[in-house]
Amino acid sequence: MPVSRRGLLAGTAVAGAALAIPGTASAAVVGTSAKIGPGDARYQDLVQRGQNRRFVGQPDYVRMIRSAEDAVAAVQDAVRSGKRIAVRGGGHCFEDFVDSSDIEVVLDMSTYDAVTWDPQYRAFSIGAGAVLESVYKELFYGWGVTVPGGGCLGVGVGGHFSGGGYGPLSRKYGSVVDHLYGVEIVIVDARGRARSVVATRDNEHHDLWWAHTGGGGGNFGVVTRYLMRSAGSSGRAPSESLPKAPAALRATLLVYDWKTTTQAGFLRTVRNWFDFFEQHNTADSPYATLYAPFILTHSSAGQFLLSTQIDAAAPNAAALMNAFNAAMVAGVDPNPQVFDAGEGPFLHTTMERSIADTPSPGRGKYKAGYLKKGYTDEQIVAMYRGLTDPTYTGPESSVLLIPYGGKVNTVPSDATAAAQRDVVAKMVLSASWQNETDDAKNIAWAQKVYADIYRNTGGVPVPNAINAGSYINYPDVDLADPAYNKSGVPWHDLYYLGNYARLQQIKSKWDPRNVFHHKLSIEPL
C-alpha cells in the first residue's frame, strides 16, 4: 500500500500508486561548469528543487557539478569572489540551509550520481548527487547488496549519509555511517585555496572521515563522492563489502479509526508500541529485521496507521509478524483493521512501501527527538492532545514514531560523530500544508505540541533517562532559539551530545575560514 513522501510523514495516504523518481544519468563531462543565472531558462527549475516550499532562494547563480574538478573550480571561484556557498543534493533539507536569502552560489550535485565499484579503495563509489532510489537499484541489481538507508526515495545521499543515515534495515545492519569507508571532499584552506582530498577510516585524514559519520552536511566542504564499505569488510569482493539485501519482505498495515479512539485507547495503543520495542531492541533479537513506523496523523485525517515489514527469511517470520500485531492490539478496543500485504520480492516491496518524491511539494515544519525508552504517560497524553486539537485542522500533519536501535546500539558513541547509540526509537513531529497564508498557524501548532511533549525538560529533548537529544538530519532552528529551547542546554549538545568539541576541532582544521556554514552549523574554535 504505497504512499507519497508527504503522505507518510503526514500519515494521510492509505492507498494509491507510488511514483518512482528515476535517478539522473551520470554525465561524462569533466571541466568547469557554467554559471546558470536568472536569465537562463534552467534557473527557476534549479532554485525550486527544494522539497520544503517554505523556502525558495534567489542565488546569483547555480553551477551543476559533474566532477571533483568542477567542484574545486566552482568553490575556488566563489571564495575568490567572496560569495556565500551552499550545496544541494536531493533537496530535502527541512530548514533554509540552501534556500536562504544570503546564499549567493548554489552548487547542484544532482547530475553527479554514478554508483560504481572503485577498485583503488575497494569500496563502492557513490556520487554525492545520487538519490536513494537509484542507489538501492544499482547496488541490488548490480551486486545483491544494499545500505540501511532511508525510506524516502528522492532523498539525496549528500546530506543523508553525512548526517548519520538510517532506515528500515538499520535495526539489523546499523546506521549508514557504519558502512562509510571514506569521502571525497573539496575543502578550503586558511589561504583560501580549494582542493579535493579523500578521507577514509584508515588514512591520514581519518579525522575528516569521522566528521562525516554523523556531523551533518554543509559543515566542512563539498562532498563529491562517498566510498561505502562495511566496517570489518576487507573489500575483497564487491558482493562481500556491504550488507546482503533480503530476498523478500513480509508486510502488514494496521489502520486505526480516530472516531473510536479515546485518550485511554490512544495511550494503550502507543504504550504497546513502545513496550514492544523496548523488549526487543538487541541486535540478536529475532525481531531485528522488523520495521514498524507508527504514523499518528492529526484526527482531521480520520485515521492513523502502523506500517510493518519483516525479512521474510527470518526464522518463523509469519509467526513473528502475527505476534507483533497481536501485541499491538492487546487491550485496545475496538481493534484496528489489519491488512496483510503478504510476501513480496525485496526491491519491489521496498519501492512500493517507500515514500516517493512529489513534483508538487508542500510546506512544512519538522521537529524531532531520540528516545532511550518510551515516553511517559504524560508525554503520550500530550501527543494525544496535539493530535486531537479541535482548533487545528491539519490532515497532513502527524507524529511519526520510528523503531531504531538494535545493531545501531552496538557501536560506541564516540566511534562515529553520530553519538546516539543507546536508543530505541525516533520521533518526528511534522506540520504539513500547502498555502503560504497558512504558515503561521501550522508552525505554531508544531511548536506548541513539541513544547507540550517536552514541557518537563524546557521544551526540548534534553538527554536523560528517556531522551537522547535530536537528529541533525531533521534540523530545527527552534532548538537554537531561547524562546523555544528553555532548557539551558545548547542546540549542539542536543544533536551531538559529547562529540561536539571534537567536531569543532575538525572544523577549525579543515574549514578555518568558515566558508561552509548555516544556521545550525558547527562553529570553529
Side-chain angles (χ1 to χ4, degrees):
M1 196 166 284
V3 297
S4 70
R5 178 179 191 275
R6 195 164 64 236
L8 182 55
L9 285 179
T12 60
V14 295
L19 299 175
I21 307 297
T24 307
S26 232
V29 178
V30 176
T32 302
S33 59
K35 297 178 180 179
I36 301 171
D40 192 300
R42 297 168 288 179
Y43 180 81
Q44 288 300 326
D45 277 293
L46 289 169
V47 299
Q48 294 187 58
R49 281 192 57 230
Q51 289 292 305
N52 187 350
R53 288 299 168 84
R54 282 177 60 204
F55 313 114
V56 178
Q58 292 294 320
D60 294 351
Y61 59 86
V62 180
R63 294 180 79 155
M64 303 301 297
I65 304 302
R66 296 178 174 86
S67 65
E69 292 82 0
D70 271 357
V72 170
V75 170
Q76 189 66 77
D77 183 60
V79 170
R80 187 181 299 116
S81 303
K83 292 186 178 293
R84 180 83 187 280
I85 305 171
V87 184
R88 169 166 284 144
H92 285 255
C93 186
F94 288 166
E95 295 285 3
D96 64 343
F97 295 170
V98 176
D99 296 311
S100 176
S101 59
D102 60 348
I103 296 298
E104 298 164 299
V105 177
V106 171
L107 308 186
D108 190 294
M109 309 298 295
S110 60
T111 56
Y112 193 32
D113 64 350
V115 179
T116 60
W117 175 255
D118 188 324
Q120 177 183 355
Y121 292 102
R122 291 175 289 115
F124 287 98
S125 170
I126 301 178
V131 298
L132 291 178
E133 179 176 359
S134 61
V135 170
Y136 295 153
K137 288 179 176 178
E138 292 288 341
L139 290 177
F140 182 70
Y141 289 143
W143 298 275
V145 299
T146 192
V147 290
C152 295
L153 299 178
V155 164
V157 303
H160 183 66
F161 284 9
S162 60
Y166 78 98
L169 298 178
S170 286
R171 283 166 44 81
K172 176 67 174 179
Y173 295 123
S175 170
V176 171
V177 295
D178 299 332
H179 307 274
L180 177 63
Y181 176 70
V183 291
E184 178 184 79
I185 179 172
V186 176
I187 55 92
V188 179
D189 64 21
R191 294 179 293 170
R193 184 185 64 176
R195 62 189 175 97
S196 178
V197 301
V198 174
T200 73
R201 70 165 73 104
D202 54 17
N203 75 1
E204 69 272 25
H205 305 319
H206 173 274
D207 59 340
L208 188 57
W209 163 83
W210 183 89
H212 286 85
T213 62
N219 277 308
F220 306 97
V222 180
V223 175
T224 50
R225 286 196 299 152
Y226 287 98
L227 298 169
M228 305 302 295
R229 188 214 303 167
S230 299
S233 170
S234 67
R236 180 180 59 181
S239 61
E240 299 174 1
S241 299
L242 284 175
K244 287 286 186 185
L249 298 172
R250 178 175 291 275
T252 64
L253 184 72
L254 274 61
V255 180
Y256 298 76
D257 189 345
W258 267 119
K259 291 180 180 178
T260 60
T261 301
T262 64
Q263 177 177 299
F266 183 86
L267 178 61
R268 179 60 187 262
T269 295
V270 176
R271 178 62 61 209
N272 284 349
W273 190 91
F274 279 130
D275 286 350
F276 185 90
F277 285 105
E278 284 184 42
Q279 295 163 14
H280 300 280
N281 195 35
T282 58
D284 60 354
S285 166
Y287 287 99
T289 65
L290 180 75
Y291 183 66
F294 213 156
I295 311 153
L296 304 166
T297 51
H298 187 267
S299 57
S300 56
Q303 300 171 327
F304 57 97
L305 316 172
L306 178 59
S307 175
T308 307
Q309 68 180 52
I310 194 170
D311 185 344
N316 304 310
L320 290 172
M321 182 73 88
N322 290 338
F324 171 75
N325 287 335
M328 292 303 97
V329 303
V332 176
D333 185 26
N335 282 345
Q337 292 179 279
V338 180
F339 297 91
D340 188 349
E343 184 178 316
F346 165 69
L347 192 61
H348 172 81
T349 305
T350 296
M351 294 295 106
E352 185 179 53
R353 295 175 61 81
S354 293
I355 311 161
D357 254 349
T358 170
S360 302
R363 308 169 77 84
K365 175 63 180 176
Y366 305 88
K367 306 174 81 66
Y370 281 105
L371 291 90
K372 295 180 182 178
K373 58 186 296 186
Y375 284 136
T376 64
D377 286 359
E378 180 184 5
Q379 289 176 297
I380 296 174
V381 170
M383 290 167 51
Y384 177 82
R385 282 196 300 267
L387 293 171
T388 58
D389 181 353
T391 68
Y392 176 74
T393 300
E396 296 185 347
S397 299
S398 69
V399 173
L400 177 64
L401 300 176
I402 309 162
Y404 196 56
K407 182 72 170 180
V408 173
N409 292 350
T410 64
V411 177
S413 63
D414 61 354
T416 63
Q420 287 84 357
R421 298 288 186 166
D422 57 352
V423 296
V424 65
K426 296 191 184 194
M427 182 278 288
V428 187
L429 189 159
S430 67
S432 300
W433 66 99
Q434 296 299 312
N435 299 318
E436 183 177 0
T437 54
D438 295 328
D439 282 5
K441 71 177 183 181
N442 282 281
I443 295 170
W445 176 82
Q447 291 170 334
K448 178 182 177 182
V449 177
Y450 193 76
D452 201 16
I453 293 172
Y454 294 111
R455 66 169 55 244
N456 293 329
T457 53
V460 297
V462 173
N464 58 18
I466 294 176
N467 307 316
S470 193
Y471 176 45
I472 193 58
N473 276 357
Y474 299 151
D476 174 13
V477 296
D478 291 350
L479 298 190
D481 187 339
Y484 304 105
N485 179 359
K486 301 176 182 179
S487 69
V489 177
W491 67 266
H492 46 75
D493 286 354
L494 298 175
Y495 286 117
Y496 300 115
L497 305 182
N499 285 340
Y500 186 63
R502 183 176 175 186
L503 286 166
Q504 285 187 288
Q505 293 173 349
I506 298 168
K507 171 75 169 179
S508 297
K509 175 181 174 181
W510 289 100
D511 185 20
R513 297 163 66 102
N514 200 22
V515 171
F516 304 98
H517 62 278
H518 50 72
K519 291 179 180 176
L520 292 178
S521 58
I522 294 163
E523 293 291 331
L525 292 173

